[in-house]
Amino acid sequence: MTNETIEKLKQFQTILKRCILDRFKNNLPQDKIDLINKTDFVNIDELKNLNNALDIQGAILRKMLYSIINITCNKDIQVGNEMKSFEYGKLLNDLLVEHFAIEISGRYKFQIRSDDKLRDKLTFVNEIKKVLGAKFESLVLTQNAKYILSMDGLKEIEAIFDVNAIDESTNKSIQANNESVSHQQQNSSNPNEIDITEYIKNTNNQSKQTVSETIQDEKYEELVMKYARGEKLSEEELKLLLKSTPDLMTDSQIEEFATKNVGPKLEMTSSSTGFGYFKMILYFIVVTNILGFIIATLLTHY
């Protein structure tokens, strides 16, 4: 970048700091006000590979927002019969930063390019904002994800982010094990070494038996794929599928839910038991990821 371009970015940074301080006003704690004022967010090494002005402006804005929105923490979540500690709230933190980046750029009349990977998930932020009302901004600027999602009215969304935390940990665990085995294979030709691919394949088969205790594997997979293709599930098929996921609903709740939600597209509901769109998202996140959870759990014991 030329010196002139760098100077322009510094000017943009100064204006952007004023925008952020104006936007959050009294909700921003003094230590974060000081952090914004004192920090240089224009890192040329980070920006030199960006060729589009919208990407550069977005990168500087998001970096500022990450400095004041940091809700990640650790949370103990039950997996099977035991409690495990997970890194918690990273996805929600990313969504909050993206939410405010889009809002601030629109309010103060400059452009950025939104993140395609996060755009479809921003409805979660809107739902949280709707429930928390006037407390929303203060909480996301001062509290962590565990505290925020424990607030009244957010139990279903909390469950979704619990599943996400386990899923992210699972992916890291499997990736770390794969990398470890790959490294061992590069440095050893021992024919007795464990083949991690075969191990996961065998574990996968064991996991399917654990998940599908109430129906045969083939039927379970058929129902999951039928739902994924958008085909209509009968009331009995939906009950059967839900009863084969982790025990998150009682039989009576499954009966009520299945009766009201037959079909591939489930509508928002306001049942006294709290069933709704987010509950169904949770169930099919569980359906599609539970095998991975079990693999990760097993891997931690070897």
Side-chain angles (χ1 to χ4, degrees):
M1 291 185 181
T2 65
N3 289 336
E4 183 180 1
T5 300
I6 294 172
E7 186 59 33
K8 292 285 187 184
L9 291 177
K10 297 285 187 181
Q11 292 175 0
F12 173 72
Q13 173 181 234
T14 300
I15 296 170
L16 191 51
K17 287 182 178 184
R18 292 175 186 168
C19 293
I20 288 180
L21 295 178
D22 176 71
R23 169 63 186 82
F24 292 112
K25 294 186 172 69
N26 297 331
N27 284 323
L28 201 60
Q30 187 59 48
D31 63 325
K32 293 188 174 182
I33 294 175
D34 294 340
L35 181 64
I36 288 288
N37 284 327
K38 295 177 182 178
T39 303
D40 183 1
F41 295 96
V42 178
N43 185 318
I44 301 305
D45 289 334
E46 294 174 356
L47 300 175
K48 63 184 180 183
N49 294 323
L50 301 177
N51 300 316
N52 186 292
L54 304 188
D55 291 335
I56 292 173
Q57 291 178 173
I60 297 172
L61 173 57
R62 290 184 183 93
K63 190 171 183 180
M64 286 189 189
L65 290 171
Y66 273 114
S67 75
I68 61 174
I69 300 174
N70 183 11
I71 66 168
T72 56
C73 58
N74 287 326
K75 180 180 179 181
D76 291 337
I77 303 173
Q78 186 162 352
V79 179
N81 295 321
E82 58 182 315
M83 298 295 289
K84 293 193 173 186
S85 180
F86 294 93
E87 182 182 359
Y88 194 70
K90 181 182 181 303
L91 174 60
L92 182 55
N93 202 108
D94 292 342
L95 290 173
L96 288 168
V97 166
E98 190 66 15
H99 167 81
F100 284 114
I102 292 171
E103 186 205 276
I104 288 171
S105 63
R107 177 180 293 215
Y108 296 99
K109 312 302 181 190
F110 65 94
Q111 291 184 300
I112 63 170
R113 198 191 306 275
S114 62
D115 189 328
D116 292 339
K117 295 179 181 178
L118 297 176
R119 189 182 300 135
D120 292 341
K121 299 183 182 72
L122 289 174
T123 51
F124 288 120
V125 176
N126 294 332
E127 289 297 321
I128 293 170
K129 188 175 181 180
K130 189 187 304 180
V131 171
L132 296 181
K135 299 182 292 185
F136 171 73
E137 287 185 15
S138 176
L139 288 173
V140 300
L141 291 168
T142 60
Q143 300 295 336
N144 62 35
K146 179 180 174 181
Y147 183 91
I148 293 168
L149 293 174
S150 70
M151 303 295 287
D152 290 344
L154 293 178
K155 191 168 186 61
E156 293 179 2
I157 297 179
E158 178 187 30
I160 292 171
F161 283 100
D162 285 0
V163 170
N164 177 258
I166 300 171
D167 190 27
E168 288 186 346
S169 176
T170 297
N171 292 336
K172 288 180 182 178
S173 177
I174 293 175
Q175 182 179 359
N177 276 278
N178 286 339
E179 290 175 354
S180 175
V181 171
S182 176
H183 179 72
Q184 291 173 11
Q185 290 174 341
Q186 289 174 5
N187 293 279
S188 173
S189 58
N190 184 352
N192 295 319
E193 282 187 286
I194 295 174
D195 183 343
I196 191 67
T197 305
E198 190 64 28
Y199 173 76
I200 291 178
K201 179 181 177 182
N202 293 335
T203 305
N204 199 21
N205 291 332
Q206 296 169 9
S207 301
K208 288 180 183 178
Q209 294 170 5
T210 304
V211 174
S212 306
E213 289 177 353
T214 58
I215 53 177
Q216 294 181 350
D217 295 346
E218 294 80 3
K219 183 63 176 177
Y220 175 79
E221 293 175 358
E222 177 189 334
L223 291 178
V224 172
M225 291 306 299
K226 188 173 181 179
Y227 181 86
R229 290 193 298 265
E231 297 176 13
K232 184 175 181 179
L233 294 179
S234 69
E235 184 177 332
E236 288 305 313
E237 287 175 327
L238 184 55
K239 289 179 188 176
L240 200 57
L241 183 55
L242 291 177
K243 287 179 180 179
S244 298
T245 59
D247 186 19
L248 300 178
M249 280 184 180
T250 65
D251 286 347
S252 61
Q253 288 174 328
I254 288 176
E255 291 287 337
E256 179 182 353
F257 185 73
T259 301
K260 293 183 177 180
N261 293 284
V262 175
K265 293 185 178 180
L266 305 176
E267 303 298 331
M268 293 280 282
T269 66
S270 56
S271 162
S272 59
T273 53
F275 301 132
Y277 174 70
F278 288 114
K279 178 69 76 175
M280 202 58 202
I281 288 178
L282 170 63
Y283 275 101
F284 284 95
I285 288 176
V286 172
V287 167
T288 55
N289 289 294
I290 189 64
L291 297 182
F293 300 167
I294 294 173
I295 290 171
T297 302
L298 290 173
L299 286 174
T300 60
H301 294 295
Y302 285 83

